[in-house]
Amino acid sequence: MSQHTRVLIIGSGPSGLTAAIYSARAQLSPIVIEGEPSSTTDQPGGQLMVTTEVENFPGFPDGIMGPELMANMRAQALRFGARMEVTKVQKLDLGQRPFRAWLTDDVEPSITADTVIIATGARSLMLDVPGEARLLSHGLSTCATCDGFFFRGHDIAVVGGGDSALEEAIFLTRFANTVTLVHRRDSLRASKIMQDRALANPKIRFAWNSQVTEVLGDEKVSGLALRDTLTGDSRVLDVTGVFIAIGHVPNTDIVAEHLERHDNGYIVTGPGSFTSVDGVFAAGDVQDHEYRQAITSAGSGCMAAIDAERWLEAQGM
């Protein structure tokens, strides 16, 4: 038998849990679909669960561990009456009201909802090489603005050749001794202005025609094993940190056929958190391809909850 909720929140990262806190305090009794612990795209708590120390989230002058921050947010949402489901949505129907979500393979939907907040986040594209998963958050990162400070005085590498990679490399020169940009080709995909800035920066070096075959290190990153894409020769780049900057993919599979998306796959929102389907809202990295920070995700989760509450009031629900 289906259970009904006024607000269904799909995702439990900073945006989803902030939306849950605000919705629960508004006595809307939201149901939060947290995701599955074994999933790489629907992990409860989002990307902060694989982040070590978070130093740029307001309110924590000494920093806080990523999993601890998410546990605090979850406890706060539960305190106000949010209901948590540690599973993932198998199927979502946004084509009729109330909206319907299936958590199992049953014919009948598991949940019906008056409003839905999509907060499924995005995932960083990874190299899929030995050592990468093991050393994530131990010298390997996917976010320069999050972790650059920890590499002050280090020799580090950025893997990628687009605008995002060059932007991260330039940013990291504020902290690092040197930044080596590792790219598979002998030319960059980035815009001309970004290329000019990177090429003119004395701290940035370039490892052209280089493919990463392994991230080296036991407890933390100690280097990158590289293969020359032209000659096949192997060498080791001695670095103590590496940033993967080959792109992000929003987790939008369950809404792909229902919601308008940008060419890069992110959900179109506006005004506020409204999507192309009335009564459906999106928050966090699933709709933000520009900032991708925990604090901006939390802020957009707040917006989505308030937008949903006001929409329900306007509908007399």
Side-chain angles (χ1 to χ4, degrees):
M1 184 176 178
S2 300
Q3 54 179 325
H4 183 76
T5 182
R6 300 177 73 187
V7 180
L8 173 63
I9 300 170
I10 304 176
S12 60
S15 58
L17 292 180
T18 302
I21 291 168
Y22 274 78
S23 297
R25 287 189 75 250
Q27 299 184 335
L28 297 177
S29 301
I31 295 177
V32 181
I33 309 302
E34 294 191 80
E36 293 180 329
S38 60
S39 174
T40 58
T41 59
D42 299 292
Q43 183 186 54
Q47 295 185 66
L48 283 187
M49 295 302 291
V50 292
T51 302
T52 51
E53 191 168 10
V54 179
E55 289 196 322
N56 55 4
F57 200 92
F60 299 95
D62 297 320
I64 184 171
M65 300 299 284
E68 183 183 0
L69 177 61
M70 299 319 300
N72 289 347
M73 285 189 178
R74 187 179 190 274
Q76 193 171 359
L78 287 170
R79 174 192 167 199
F80 292 119
R83 290 174 285 168
M84 303 287 176
E85 296 277 357
V86 185
T87 184
K88 71 176 186 178
V89 175
Q90 305 289 341
K91 186 174 73 169
L92 186 65
D93 181 4
L94 302 178
Q96 61 177 286
R97 300 180 191 283
F99 303 120
R100 302 184 299 167
W102 284 260
L103 307 181
T104 66
D105 295 328
D106 291 347
V107 175
E108 293 297 318
S110 308
I111 299 172
T112 60
D114 295 323
T115 62
V116 176
I117 296 175
I118 308 297
T120 46
R123 64 188 184 278
S124 300
L125 293 176
M126 304 300 285
L127 301 171
D128 194 24
V129 297
E132 181 182 50
R134 177 170 50 84
L135 293 170
L136 183 63
S137 298
H138 296 279
L140 186 146
S141 173
T142 59
C143 180
T145 53
C146 306
D147 300 326
F149 177 82
F150 299 112
F151 294 88
R152 187 176 296 278
H154 289 231
D155 294 309
I156 62 177
V158 173
V159 182
D163 277 349
S164 294
L166 266 63
E167 184 177 346
E168 297 224 330
I170 292 169
F171 174 82
L172 288 166
T173 60
R174 303 180 187 182
F175 311 102
N177 181 41
T178 64
V179 178
T180 300
L181 193 77
V182 179
H183 189 44
R184 296 174 55 132
R185 302 176 182 84
D186 60 1
S187 61
L188 300 167
R189 294 179 288 106
S191 61
K192 182 65 164 55
I193 188 170
M194 291 302 295
Q195 291 190 44
D196 290 343
R197 289 174 182 172
L199 290 166
N201 194 309
K203 284 191 173 184
I204 296 180
R205 303 172 179 178
F206 295 87
W208 301 111
N209 300 313
S210 297
Q211 180 180 6
V212 178
T213 58
E214 185 177 358
V215 182
L216 305 174
D218 294 325
E219 300 297 324
K220 58 184 180 180
V221 170
S222 64
L224 289 178
L226 303 180
R227 182 181 67 84
D228 190 296
T229 57
L230 298 180
T231 66
D233 292 341
S234 298
R235 68 184 181 95
V236 171
L237 178 65
D238 293 322
V239 292
T240 52
V242 56
F243 289 79
I244 310 300
I246 58 176
H248 294 78
V249 177
N251 299 320
T252 56
D253 289 348
I254 61 168
V255 299
E257 63 181 275
H258 297 290
L259 301 181
E260 181 183 357
R261 297 182 296 162
H262 294 286
D263 291 341
N264 58 9
Y266 288 79
I267 296 173
V268 174
T269 53
S273 63
F274 282 79
T275 70
S276 57
V277 174
D278 202 27
V280 178
F281 309 87
D285 287 5
V286 76
Q287 54 84 47
D288 172 24
H289 54 88
E290 183 70 25
Y291 301 103
R292 295 195 297 264
Q293 299 296 304
I295 188 64
T296 52
S297 290
S300 67
C302 166
M303 291 166 57
I306 292 174
D307 285 342
E309 179 186 2
R310 291 173 178 173
W311 186 88
L312 287 167
E313 290 176 355
Q315 303 300 313
M317 295 181 178

